[in-house]
Amino acid sequence: GNISFFIGILISAISIYVILYINILNKKTQIGIIKAIGIKSKVVALSYVMLSFFLGIIGSALGVILTLLMVEYFRFNPIQTGVGELVPQVKLGIFILVGSAILLASIISGYIVSKKITKQNIIEAIFHG
């Protein structure tokens, strides 16, 4: 259980990192122009951290919905085993733990990506974006 928990968090963090990185590559010129007109790098970085936070919230909510749907399905169609019927059960504490871990992982991913954007040269970003 702990290994699958860690792997799930790692996959979600990598997914959010890739989504944000591709988003940044597509908006490199726009980010350069925003920085050129005087918007501080911290504001640009904060916007990507906030985006990663919202992606984490959406991903966590979808995960809860899918898990609840799966539990309900197996409640009506239990898995038949040699020792009896198997029905998965999930407690609220697990949802809170996993949701918090995914939010933390998404914020860290957003922070790492946002640090990469703030280091780029304005002129290079505008003309080579």
Side-chain angles (χ1 to χ4, degrees):
N2 291 337
I3 292 173
S4 64
F5 172 76
F6 178 73
I7 290 172
I9 300 302
L10 187 64
I11 288 172
S12 66
I14 290 170
S15 299
I16 290 174
Y17 178 86
V18 168
I19 289 168
L20 288 175
Y21 193 74
I22 290 171
N23 189 3
I24 286 171
L25 287 178
N26 290 331
K27 294 183 179 180
K28 201 170 186 181
T29 303
Q30 181 183 10
I31 292 169
I33 292 170
I34 287 172
K35 287 175 64 178
I37 63 171
I39 304 294
K40 295 186 179 197
S41 295
K42 288 182 181 182
V43 174
V44 176
L46 181 63
S47 70
Y48 280 97
V49 171
M50 288 176 54
L51 177 62
S52 67
F53 176 74
F54 288 121
L55 287 174
I57 288 176
I58 291 169
S60 296
L62 287 174
V64 167
I65 291 168
L66 289 174
T67 301
L68 291 175
L69 287 173
M70 180 197 70
V71 168
E72 281 301 308
Y73 173 79
F74 285 116
R75 190 167 65 98
F76 292 110
N77 303 305
I79 301 168
Q80 301 297 326
T81 64
V83 294
E85 296 179 341
L86 178 66
V87 178
Q89 295 180 350
V90 182
K91 296 184 180 181
L92 180 64
I94 297 297
F95 283 129
I96 294 171
L97 177 68
V98 171
S100 301
I102 287 176
L103 283 177
L104 181 64
S106 66
I107 290 170
I108 291 170
S109 295
Y111 179 76
I112 292 169
V113 170
S114 68
K115 279 300 173 187
K116 286 186 176 188
I117 354 171
T118 57
K119 290 182 182 179
Q120 74 180 359
N121 185 347
I122 295 173
I123 302 297
E124 186 178 309
I126 293 172
F127 292 109
H128 299 295

